[in-house]
Coordinates of all heavy atoms in Angstrom, one line a residue:
M1 N 0.8 -1.2 0.0 CA 0.0 0.0 0.0 C 0.9 1.3 0.0 O 1.0 1.9 1.0 CB -0.9 0.0 1.2 CG -0.3 0.4 2.5 SD -1.5 0.5 3.8 CE -0.3 1.2 4.9
P2 N 1.5 1.6 -1.1 CA 2.3 2.8 -1.2 C 1.4 4.0 -0.9 O 0.2 4.0 -1.1 CB 2.8 2.8 -2.6 CG 2.6 1.5 -3.1 CD 1.5 0.8 -2.3
Y3 N 2.0 5.0 -0.4 CA 1.3 6.3 0.0 C 1.5 7.3 -1.2 O 2.5 7.4 -1.8 CB 1.9 6.9 1.2 CG 1.7 6.0 2.4 CD1 2.8 5.4 3.0 CD2 0.5 5.9 3.0 CE1 2.6 4.6 4.1 CE2 0.3 5.1 4.1 CZ 1.4 4.5 4.7 OH 1.2 3.7 5.8
R4 N 0.4 8.0 -1.5 CA 0.4 8.9 -2.6 C 0.9 10.3 -2.2 O 1.6 10.9 -2.9 CB -0.9 9.0 -3.3 CG -1.3 7.8 -4.0 CD -2.6 7.9 -4.8 NE -3.7 8.4 -3.9 CZ -4.7 9.0 -4.4 NH1 -4.9 9.2 -5.7 NH2 -5.7 9.5 -3.5
T5 N 0.5 10.7 -1.0 CA 0.9 12.1 -0.5 C 1.2 11.9 0.9 O 0.9 11.0 1.6 CB -0.2 13.1 -0.7 OG1 -1.3 12.8 0.2 CG2 -0.8 13.2 -2.1
I6 N 1.9 13.0 1.5 CA 2.2 13.0 2.9 C 0.9 13.0 3.8 O 0.9 12.5 4.9 CB 3.1 14.1 3.4 CG1 2.6 15.5 3.1 CG2 4.5 13.9 2.7 CD1 3.4 16.6 3.6
N7 N -0.2 13.5 3.2 CA -1.5 13.4 3.9 C -2.0 12.0 4.1 O -2.9 11.8 5.0 CB -2.5 14.3 3.2 CG -2.2 15.7 3.2 OD1 -1.7 16.2 4.2 ND2 -2.6 16.4 2.2
D8 N -1.5 11.1 3.3 CA -1.9 9.7 3.5 C -1.1 8.9 4.5 O -1.4 7.8 4.8 CB -1.8 9.0 2.1 CG -2.7 9.6 1.0 OD1 -3.8 10.1 1.4 OD2 -2.3 9.5 -0.2
L9 N 0.0 9.5 4.9 CA 0.9 8.8 5.9 C 0.1 8.6 7.2 O -0.8 9.3 7.6 CB 2.1 9.7 6.2 CG 3.1 9.9 5.0 CD1 4.2 10.9 5.4 CD2 3.7 8.5 4.6
P10 N 0.6 7.6 8.0 CA 0.0 7.3 9.3 C 0.1 8.6 10.2 O 1.0 9.3 10.1 CB 0.9 6.2 9.9 CG 1.5 5.6 8.7 CD 1.7 6.7 7.7
E11 N -0.9 8.7 11.1 CA -0.8 9.8 12.0 C 0.4 9.9 12.8 O 0.9 10.9 13.2 CB -2.1 9.7 13.0 CG -3.4 10.1 12.3 CD -4.5 10.1 13.3 OE1 -4.3 10.2 14.6 OE2 -5.7 9.9 12.9
S12 N 1.0 8.7 13.2 CA 2.2 8.7 14.0 C 3.4 9.4 13.3 O 4.3 9.9 13.9 CB 2.6 7.2 14.3 OG 2.8 6.5 13.1
V13 N 3.3 9.5 12.0 CA 4.3 10.2 11.2 C 3.9 11.6 11.0 O 4.6 12.6 11.3 CB 4.5 9.5 9.8 CG1 5.6 10.3 9.0 CG2 5.0 8.1 10.0
R14 N 2.7 11.8 10.5 CA 2.2 13.2 10.2 C 2.2 14.1 11.5 O 2.5 15.3 11.4 CB 0.8 13.1 9.7 CG 0.7 12.6 8.3 CD -0.7 12.9 7.7 NE -1.8 12.9 8.7 CZ -2.6 11.8 8.9 NH1 -2.5 10.7 8.2 NH2 -3.6 11.9 9.8
D15 N 1.8 13.5 12.6 CA 1.7 14.3 13.8 C 3.0 14.5 14.6 O 3.0 15.2 15.6 CB 0.7 13.7 14.8 CG -0.7 13.7 14.2 OD1 -0.9 14.5 13.2 OD2 -1.6 13.1 14.7
N16 N 4.1 13.9 14.2 CA 5.3 13.9 15.0 C 6.6 14.4 14.3 O 7.5 14.9 15.0 CB 5.6 12.5 15.5 CG 4.6 12.1 16.6 OD1 4.5 12.8 17.6 ND2 3.9 11.0 16.3
V17 N 6.6 14.4 13.0 CA 7.9 14.8 12.3 C 7.6 15.9 11.4 O 6.5 16.1 10.9 CB 8.6 13.6 11.6 CG1 9.0 12.5 12.5 CG2 7.7 13.1 10.4
P18 N 8.6 16.8 11.1 CA 8.5 17.9 10.3 C 8.1 17.5 8.8 O 8.3 16.3 8.5 CB 9.8 18.6 10.3 CG 10.5 18.1 11.5 CD 10.0 16.7 11.7
E19 N 7.6 18.4 8.1 CA 7.2 18.1 6.7 C 8.3 17.5 5.9 O 8.0 16.5 5.1 CB 6.6 19.4 6.0 CG 6.0 19.1 4.6 CD 5.3 20.3 4.0 OE1 5.1 21.3 4.7 OE2 5.0 20.2 2.8
H20 N 9.5 18.0 5.9 CA 10.5 17.5 5.2 C 10.8 16.0 5.5 O 11.1 15.2 4.7 CB 11.8 18.3 5.3 CG 13.0 17.7 4.5 ND1 14.1 17.2 5.1 CD2 13.2 17.6 3.1 CE1 14.9 16.8 4.1 NE2 14.4 17.0 2.9
A21 N 10.7 15.7 6.8 CA 10.9 14.3 7.3 C 9.8 13.4 6.8 O 10.0 12.3 6.4 CB 11.0 14.3 8.8
Q22 N 8.6 14.0 6.7 CA 7.5 13.2 6.1 C 7.7 12.9 4.7 O 7.3 11.8 4.2 CB 6.2 14.0 6.3 CG 5.7 14.2 7.7 CD 4.5 15.1 7.8 OE1 3.6 15.0 7.0 NE2 4.5 15.9 8.9
E23 N 8.3 13.9 3.9 CA 8.6 13.6 2.5 C 9.7 12.5 2.4 O 9.5 11.6 1.5 CB 9.1 14.9 1.9 CG 8.0 15.9 1.7 CD 8.5 17.3 1.4 OE1 9.8 17.5 1.4 OE2 7.7 18.2 1.2
I24 N 10.6 12.5 3.3 CA 11.6 11.4 3.3 C 11.0 10.1 3.6 O 11.2 9.1 2.9 CB 12.7 11.7 4.4 CG1 13.6 13.0 3.9 CG2 13.6 10.5 4.6 CD1 14.5 13.5 5.0
Y25 N 10.1 10.1 4.6 CA 9.4 8.9 5.0 C 8.6 8.3 3.8 O 8.7 7.1 3.5 CB 8.5 9.2 6.1 CG 7.9 7.9 6.8 CD1 8.4 7.4 8.0 CD2 6.8 7.3 6.2 CE1 7.9 6.3 8.6 CE2 6.3 6.1 6.8 CZ 6.9 5.6 8.0 OH 6.3 4.5 8.6
L26 N 7.8 9.2 3.1 CA 7.0 8.8 2.0 C 7.9 8.1 0.9 O 7.6 7.0 0.4 CB 6.3 10.0 1.4 CG 5.5 9.8 0.2 CD1 4.2 9.1 0.5 CD2 5.2 11.1 -0.5
A27 N 8.9 8.8 0.5 CA 9.8 8.3 -0.5 C 10.4 7.0 -0.2 O 10.5 6.0 -0.9 CB 10.9 9.3 -0.9
A28 N 10.9 6.9 1.1 CA 11.6 5.6 1.5 C 10.6 4.5 1.6 O 10.9 3.4 1.3 CB 12.3 5.9 2.9
F29 N 9.4 4.8 2.2 CA 8.4 3.7 2.3 C 8.1 3.2 1.0 O 8.0 1.9 0.8 CB 7.2 4.3 3.0 CG 6.1 3.2 3.2 CD1 6.0 2.5 4.4 CD2 5.2 2.9 2.2 CE1 5.1 1.5 4.6 CE2 4.2 1.9 2.3 CZ 4.2 1.2 3.5
N30 N 7.8 4.0 0.0 CA 7.3 3.6 -1.3 C 8.4 2.8 -2.0 O 8.2 1.8 -2.7 CB 6.8 4.8 -2.1 CG 5.5 5.3 -1.6 OD1 4.8 4.7 -0.8 ND2 5.1 6.5 -2.1
S31 N 9.6 3.2 -1.9 CA 10.8 2.5 -2.5 C 10.9 1.2 -1.9 O 11.1 0.2 -2.6 CB 12.1 3.4 -2.3 OG 13.2 2.7 -2.8
A32 N 10.9 1.1 -0.6 CA 11.0 -0.2 0.1 C 9.8 -1.1 -0.2 O 10.0 -2.3 -0.3 CB 11.1 0.0 1.6
W33 N 8.6 -0.6 -0.3 CA 7.5 -1.3 -0.7 C 7.7 -2.1 -2.0 O 7.4 -3.3 -2.1 CB 6.2 -0.4 -0.8 CG 5.0 -1.2 -1.2 CD1 4.5 -1.3 -2.4 CD2 4.1 -1.9 -0.3 NE1 3.3 -2.1 -2.3 CE2 3.1 -2.4 -1.0 CE3 4.1 -2.1 1.1 CZ2 2.1 -3.2 -0.4 CZ3 3.1 -2.8 1.7 CH2 2.1 -3.4 0.9
E34 N 8.3 -1.4 -2.9 CA 8.6 -2.0 -4.2 C 9.8 -3.0 -4.1 O 9.8 -4.1 -4.7 CB 8.9 -1.0 -5.3 CG 7.7 -0.1 -5.6 CD 6.6 -0.8 -6.2 OE1 6.8 -1.8 -7.0 OE2 5.4 -0.5 -5.7
Q35 N 10.8 -2.6 -3.4 CA 12.0 -3.4 -3.3 C 11.8 -4.7 -2.6 O 12.4 -5.7 -3.0 CB 13.1 -2.6 -2.7 CG 14.4 -3.3 -2.6 CD 15.6 -2.4 -2.0 OE1 15.4 -1.3 -1.8 NE2 16.7 -3.1 -1.8
Y36 N 11.1 -4.7 -1.5 CA 10.9 -5.9 -0.7 C 9.6 -6.6 -0.9 O 8.9 -7.0 0.1 CB 11.1 -5.5 0.8 CG 12.5 -5.0 1.1 CD1 12.7 -3.6 1.3 CD2 13.6 -5.8 1.1 CE1 14.0 -3.1 1.6 CE2 14.9 -5.3 1.4 CZ 15.0 -3.9 1.6 OH 16.3 -3.4 1.8
D37 N 9.2 -6.8 -2.1 CA 7.9 -7.4 -2.4 C 7.9 -8.9 -2.2 O 6.9 -9.5 -1.9 CB 7.4 -7.0 -3.8 CG 8.4 -7.5 -4.9 OD1 9.6 -7.6 -4.7 OD2 7.9 -7.8 -6.0
Q38 N 9.1 -9.5 -2.2 CA 9.2 -10.9 -2.0 C 9.6 -11.3 -0.6 O 10.5 -10.7 -0.1 CB 10.2 -11.6 -3.0 CG 9.8 -11.4 -4.4 CD 8.5 -12.0 -4.8 OE1 8.2 -13.1 -4.4 NE2 7.6 -11.2 -5.5
P39 N 8.9 -12.2 0.1 CA 9.3 -12.6 1.5 C 10.7 -12.9 1.7 O 11.3 -12.6 2.7 CB 8.4 -13.8 1.8 CG 7.2 -13.6 0.9 CD 7.8 -13.0 -0.4
S40 N 11.4 -13.5 0.7 CA 12.8 -13.9 0.7 C 13.7 -12.7 0.9 O 14.9 -12.8 1.2 CB 13.2 -14.7 -0.4 OG 13.0 -14.1 -1.6
E41 N 13.2 -11.5 0.5 CA 14.0 -10.3 0.6 C 13.9 -9.6 1.9 O 14.6 -8.6 2.1 CB 13.6 -9.3 -0.5 CG 13.8 -9.9 -1.9 CD 13.1 -9.1 -3.0 OE1 12.1 -8.4 -2.7 OE2 13.6 -9.2 -4.2
R42 N 13.1 -10.1 2.8 CA 12.9 -9.5 4.1 C 13.5 -10.2 5.2 O 13.8 -11.4 5.0 CB 11.3 -9.4 4.4 CG 10.6 -8.5 3.4 CD 9.1 -8.5 3.6 NE 8.4 -8.7 2.4 CZ 7.4 -9.4 2.2 NH1 6.9 -10.1 3.2 NH2 6.9 -9.5 1.0
R43 N 13.7 -9.6 6.4 CA 14.3 -10.3 7.5 C 13.1 -11.1 8.3 O 12.1 -10.5 8.5 CB 14.8 -9.3 8.4 CG 16.1 -8.6 7.9 CD 16.7 -7.7 9.0 NE 17.8 -7.0 8.4 CZ 18.4 -6.0 9.0 NH1 17.9 -5.6 10.2 NH2 19.4 -5.4 8.5
G44 N 13.5 -12.2 8.7 CA 12.5 -13.0 9.5 C 11.2 -13.1 8.9 O 11.0 -13.4 7.7
D45 N 10.2 -12.9 9.8 CA 8.8 -13.1 9.3 C 8.1 -11.7 9.1 O 6.9 -11.6 9.1 CB 8.0 -13.8 10.4 CG 8.4 -15.3 10.5 OD1 8.8 -15.9 9.5 OD2 8.4 -15.8 11.6
D46 N 8.9 -10.7 9.0 CA 8.4 -9.3 8.8 C 7.5 -9.3 7.5 O 7.9 -9.9 6.5 CB 9.4 -8.3 8.7 CG 10.1 -8.0 10.0 OD1 9.6 -8.5 11.1 OD2 11.1 -7.3 10.0
T47 N 6.4 -8.6 7.6 CA 5.6 -8.4 6.4 C 6.2 -7.3 5.5 O 7.1 -6.6 5.9 CB 4.2 -7.9 6.8 OG1 4.2 -6.6 7.4 CG2 3.5 -8.9 7.7
R48 N 5.7 -7.2 4.3 CA 6.1 -6.2 3.4 C 5.9 -4.8 4.0 O 6.8 -3.9 3.9 CB 5.3 -6.4 2.1 CG 5.8 -5.5 1.0 CD 4.9 -5.8 -0.3 NE 5.3 -5.1 -1.4 CZ 4.7 -5.1 -2.6 NH1 3.6 -5.9 -2.7 NH2 5.2 -4.4 -3.6
E49 N 4.8 -4.6 4.6 CA 4.5 -3.3 5.2 C 5.4 -3.0 6.4 O 5.9 -1.9 6.5 CB 3.0 -3.3 5.7 CG 2.6 -1.9 6.2 CD 1.1 -1.8 6.5 OE1 0.4 -2.8 6.4 OE2 0.7 -0.7 6.9
E50 N 5.6 -4.0 7.3 CA 6.5 -3.8 8.4 C 7.9 -3.4 7.9 O 8.5 -2.5 8.5 CB 6.6 -5.0 9.3 CG 5.3 -5.3 10.0 CD 5.4 -6.7 10.7 OE1 6.0 -7.6 10.1 OE2 4.8 -6.9 11.8
T51 N 8.4 -4.1 6.9 CA 9.7 -3.8 6.4 C 9.7 -2.4 5.8 O 10.7 -1.6 6.1 CB 10.1 -4.8 5.3 OG1 10.1 -6.1 5.9 CG2 11.4 -4.5 4.7
A52 N 8.7 -2.0 5.1 CA 8.7 -0.7 4.5 C 8.7 0.4 5.6 O 9.4 1.4 5.4 CB 7.5 -0.5 3.5
H53 N 7.9 0.2 6.6 CA 7.9 1.2 7.7 C 9.3 1.3 8.4 O 9.8 2.4 8.7 CB 6.8 0.9 8.8 CG 5.5 1.2 8.3 ND1 5.1 2.5 8.1 CD2 4.4 0.4 8.1 CE1 3.8 2.5 7.7 NE2 3.3 1.3 7.7
Q54 N 9.9 0.1 8.6 CA 11.2 0.1 9.2 C 12.3 0.9 8.4 O 13.1 1.7 8.9 CB 11.7 -1.3 9.4 CG 10.9 -2.0 10.5 CD 11.2 -3.6 10.5 OE1 12.0 -4.1 9.7 NE2 10.5 -4.3 11.3
V55 N 12.2 0.7 7.1 CA 13.1 1.4 6.2 C 12.8 2.9 6.2 O 13.8 3.7 6.2 CB 13.0 0.8 4.8 CG1 13.7 1.7 3.7 CG2 13.5 -0.6 4.7
A56 N 11.6 3.2 6.2 CA 11.2 4.6 6.2 C 11.6 5.4 7.4 O 12.2 6.5 7.4 CB 9.7 4.7 6.0
W57 N 11.4 4.7 8.6 CA 11.9 5.3 9.8 C 13.4 5.5 9.9 O 14.0 6.5 10.3 CB 11.4 4.6 11.1 CG 10.0 5.0 11.5 CD1 8.9 4.3 11.5 CD2 9.7 6.3 12.0 NE1 7.9 5.0 12.0 CE2 8.3 6.3 12.2 CE3 10.3 7.5 12.1 CZ2 7.5 7.4 12.7 CZ3 9.6 8.7 12.6 CH2 8.2 8.6 12.9
A58 N 14.1 4.5 9.4 CA 15.6 4.6 9.3 C 16.0 5.7 8.5 O 17.0 6.4 8.8 CB 16.1 3.2 8.8
A59 N 15.4 5.9 7.3 CA 15.7 7.0 6.4 C 15.5 8.4 7.1 O 16.3 9.3 7.1 CB 14.9 7.0 5.2
V60 N 14.4 8.5 7.9 CA 14.1 9.7 8.6 C 15.2 10.0 9.7 O 15.7 11.1 9.8 CB 12.7 9.7 9.3 CG1 12.5 10.9 10.3 CG2 11.6 9.8 8.2
K61 N 15.6 8.9 10.4 CA 16.6 9.0 11.4 C 18.0 9.3 10.9 O 18.8 9.8 11.7 CB 16.6 7.7 12.3 CG 15.3 7.6 13.1 CD 15.3 6.3 13.9 CE 14.0 6.2 14.6 NZ 13.9 4.9 15.3
R62 N 18.2 9.1 9.7 CA 19.5 9.5 9.1 C 19.7 11.1 9.0 O 20.7 11.6 9.0 CB 19.7 8.9 7.7 CG 20.2 7.5 7.8 CD 20.7 6.9 6.5 NE 19.7 6.7 5.5 CZ 18.9 5.6 5.4 NH1 19.1 4.7 6.3 NH2 18.1 5.5 4.5
K63 N 18.5 11.7 8.9 CA 18.5 13.2 8.7 C 18.0 13.9 9.8 O 18.2 15.2 10.0 CB 17.7 13.5 7.4 CG 18.3 13.1 6.1 CD 19.6 13.8 5.8 CE 20.2 13.3 4.5 NZ 21.4 14.0 4.2
Y64 N 17.2 13.3 10.7 CA 16.5 13.9 11.8 C 16.8 13.1 13.1 O 17.0 11.9 13.1 CB 15.0 14.0 11.6 CG 14.6 15.1 10.6 CD1 14.7 14.8 9.2 CD2 14.3 16.4 11.0 CE1 14.3 15.7 8.3 CE2 13.9 17.3 10.1 CZ 14.0 17.0 8.7 OH 13.7 18.0 7.8
Q65 N 16.7 13.8 14.2 CA 16.8 13.2 15.5 C 15.8 13.7 16.4 O 15.4 14.9 16.3 CB 18.2 13.3 16.1 CG 18.6 14.7 16.4 CD 20.1 14.8 16.9 OE1 20.9 13.9 16.6 NE2 20.4 15.8 17.5
K66 N 15.3 12.9 17.4 CA 14.3 13.4 18.3 C 15.0 14.0 19.5 O 15.9 13.4 20.1 CB 13.4 12.2 18.7 CG 12.2 12.6 19.5 CD 11.3 11.3 19.7 CE 10.0 11.7 20.3 NZ 9.2 10.5 20.5
D67 N 14.7 15.2 19.8 CA 15.2 15.9 21.0 C 14.7 15.2 22.3 O 13.5 15.0 22.4 CB 14.8 17.4 21.0 CG 15.4 18.1 22.1 OD1 14.8 18.2 23.2 OD2 16.5 18.7 21.9
E68 N 15.6 14.8 23.1 CA 15.2 14.1 24.3 C 14.4 14.9 25.3 O 13.5 14.3 26.0 CB 16.5 13.5 25.1 CG 17.2 12.5 24.3 CD 18.4 12.0 25.0 OE1 18.5 12.2 26.2 OE2 19.3 11.4 24.3
K69 N 14.6 16.2 25.4 CA 13.9 17.0 26.3 C 12.5 17.4 25.8 O 11.5 17.3 26.5 CB 14.7 18.2 26.7 CG 15.9 17.9 27.5 CD 16.7 19.2 27.8 CE 17.9 18.8 28.6 NZ 18.7 20.0 29.0
S70 N 12.5 17.9 24.6 CA 11.2 18.4 24.1 C 10.4 17.3 23.3 O 9.2 17.5 23.2 CB 11.5 19.5 23.1 OG 12.1 19.1 21.9
G71 N 11.0 16.3 22.9 CA 10.3 15.2 22.2 C 10.1 15.6 20.7 O 9.5 14.8 20.0
K72 N 10.6 16.7 20.3 CA 10.4 17.2 18.9 C 11.6 16.7 18.0 O 12.7 16.6 18.5 CB 10.3 18.7 18.8 CG 9.2 19.2 19.6 CD 8.7 20.5 19.1 CE 7.5 21.0 20.0 NZ 6.3 20.9 19.3
W73 N 11.2 16.4 16.8 CA 12.2 16.0 15.8 C 12.8 17.2 15.2 O 12.2 18.2 14.8 CB 11.6 15.2 14.7 CG 11.1 13.8 15.2 CD1 10.0 13.5 15.8 CD2 11.9 12.6 15.1 NE1 10.0 12.2 16.1 CE2 11.1 11.6 15.7 CE3 13.1 12.3 14.5 CZ2 11.6 10.3 15.7 CZ3 13.5 11.0 14.6 CH2 12.8 10.0 15.2
R74 N 14.2 17.2 15.1 CA 14.9 18.3 14.5 C 16.0 17.8 13.5 O 16.4 16.6 13.7 CB 15.5 19.2 15.5 CG 16.4 18.5 16.5 CD 16.9 19.5 17.6 NE 17.7 18.8 18.6 CZ 19.0 18.4 18.5 NH1 19.6 18.7 17.4 NH2 19.6 17.8 19.4
P75 N 16.4 18.6 12.6 CA 17.5 18.1 11.7 C 18.8 17.8 12.5 O 19.1 18.4 13.4 CB 17.7 19.3 10.8 CG 16.5 20.1 10.8 CD 16.0 19.9 12.3
R76 N 19.4 16.7 12.0 CA 20.7 16.4 12.6 C 21.7 17.4 12.2 O 21.7 18.0 11.2 CB 21.2 15.0 12.1 CG 20.4 13.9 12.6 CD 21.1 12.6 12.2 NE 20.5 11.5 13.0 CZ 20.9 11.1 14.2 NH1 21.9 11.8 14.8 NH2 20.3 10.1 14.8
T77 N 22.6 17.7 13.2 CA 23.7 18.6 12.9 C 25.0 17.9 12.8 O 26.1 18.5 12.5 CB 23.8 19.6 14.1 OG1 24.0 18.9 15.3 CG2 22.6 20.5 14.2
D78 N 25.1 16.6 12.9 CA 26.3 15.8 12.9 C 26.6 15.2 11.4 O 27.4 14.4 11.3 CB 26.3 14.7 13.9 CG 25.1 13.8 13.8 OD1 24.3 13.9 12.8 OD2 25.0 12.9 14.7
D79 N 25.9 15.8 10.4 CA 26.1 15.3 9.0 C 27.4 15.8 8.5 O 27.9 16.8 8.7 CB 25.0 15.7 8.1 CG 23.8 14.8 8.4 OD1 23.9 13.8 9.2 OD2 22.7 15.2 8.0

């Protein structure tokens, strides 16, 4: 179930990360959805959707980090 727009993303994404991070999530999820369509391409018993969400969050975390005090996501400065 690829997402067409950031408005289609899960609330857990839309309500927590900045718009640019949502765009990263969308692109990474859709790419992983296509890439990991066969069970043999995934780890363990993860579903296609679980794998795509894991890849998408990993992509967001490469560019953003969650501030421990405020709980808000902000761009990484260690790039």
Side-chain angles (χ1 to χ4, degrees):
M1 82 175 186
Y3 297 107
R4 292 186 307 157
T5 70
I6 60 173
N7 291 327
D8 297 330
L9 294 174
E11 286 182 22
S12 61
V13 178
R14 287 192 329 260
D15 293 347
N16 289 300
V17 299
E19 186 173 349
H20 180 247
Q22 292 175 40
E23 293 166 352
I24 292 170
Y25 192 99
L26 175 78
F29 181 95
N30 289 347
S31 177
W33 180 264
E34 294 302 318
Q35 182 176 353
Y36 298 107
D37 61 332
Q38 299 300 313
S40 62
E41 297 170 335
R42 299 179 222 137
R43 291 183 183 170
D45 293 328
D46 288 351
T47 66
R48 187 177 185 184
E49 184 174 5
E50 289 170 328
T51 299
H53 282 297
Q54 291 167 3
V55 168
W57 275 116
V60 167
K61 291 175 181 179
R62 279 194 289 278
K63 295 291 181 180
Y64 286 84
Q65 62 187 20
K66 190 172 186 178
D67 184 272
E68 293 180 20
K69 291 182 182 180
S70 70
K72 299 208 182 253
W73 289 84
R74 58 182 174 80
R76 286 189 166 276
T77 56
D78 54 7
D79 287 345

